[in-house]
Amino acid sequence: MFESFYIMFDLFMALVTFLMGLYFYKSKGKAANLLSGYNRRSAEERKNFDEDFMCCCYGKRMMVMAIPFVAGAVIDVFWEGIGCALAWGVWIILFILLLVKRTKIEKLK
C-alpha cells in the first residue's frame, strides 16, 4: 500500500519542482517577485540586478532538483521508502547549493 504512495509522492514532488523551475526559467525576470527578501528591495536596488539572468539561472537549478525525486521513485519500486528518503537528502543538498549560488549572485556591487 505505502509503496505506491512513495512512488506517487516522489513523482508529484518531481513535477512540482520541475514546473516551478520551468516557470522561473521562462518568466523573463518576473519570477524575481517570488524570491524571499528580494521582493522587498526598492526599485532602485533592483535596477542593479539582471533579473532575467537570475530567474534563468535559478530555474535551471530548480529543474535539476526534480531529478532526485524521479530517481527516488525508481528506487522506491524496489526498496519501499528508501528512494524517498534519499531523494529528500539529495534535494536538501541541492537546495543549500542553490542558496549559496543565490547569495553570490545577489551580493550588492
Side-chain angles (χ1 to χ4, degrees):
M1 177 183 162
F2 280 112
E3 181 178 318
S4 62
F5 170 76
Y6 287 123
I7 294 169
M8 294 304 294
F9 182 73
D10 283 336
L11 293 176
F12 176 75
M13 288 303 299
L15 181 67
V16 168
T17 306
F18 181 80
L19 290 177
M20 192 65 147
L22 189 64
Y23 173 70
F24 265 80
Y25 184 74
K26 295 201 176 242
S27 73
K28 298 180 181 170
K30 294 178 183 168
N33 290 327
L34 298 176
L35 298 173
S36 63
Y38 184 79
N39 58 358
R40 294 190 173 260
R41 293 179 188 228
S42 68
E44 288 182 22
E45 286 180 313
R46 290 178 85 156
K47 288 180 184 176
N48 296 330
F49 299 98
D50 184 3
E51 292 179 349
D52 189 29
F53 169 75
M54 285 179 6
C55 288
C56 184
C57 180
Y58 300 158
K60 287 179 188 177
R61 285 183 174 257
M62 284 186 227
M63 287 188 280
V64 168
M65 290 169 70
I67 294 171
F69 289 110
V70 174
V74 172
I75 293 170
D76 280 335
V77 169
F78 301 104
W79 298 288
E80 181 179 328
I82 301 294
C84 188
L86 288 173
W88 275 107
V90 172
W91 187 88
I92 289 169
I93 292 168
L94 291 173
F95 182 70
I96 291 169
L97 292 174
L98 175 67
L99 293 178
V100 169
K101 179 76 170 178
R102 181 178 171 194
T103 302
K104 288 180 182 177
I105 289 176
E106 294 182 23
K107 278 189 178 178
L108 288 176
K109 300 171 185 175

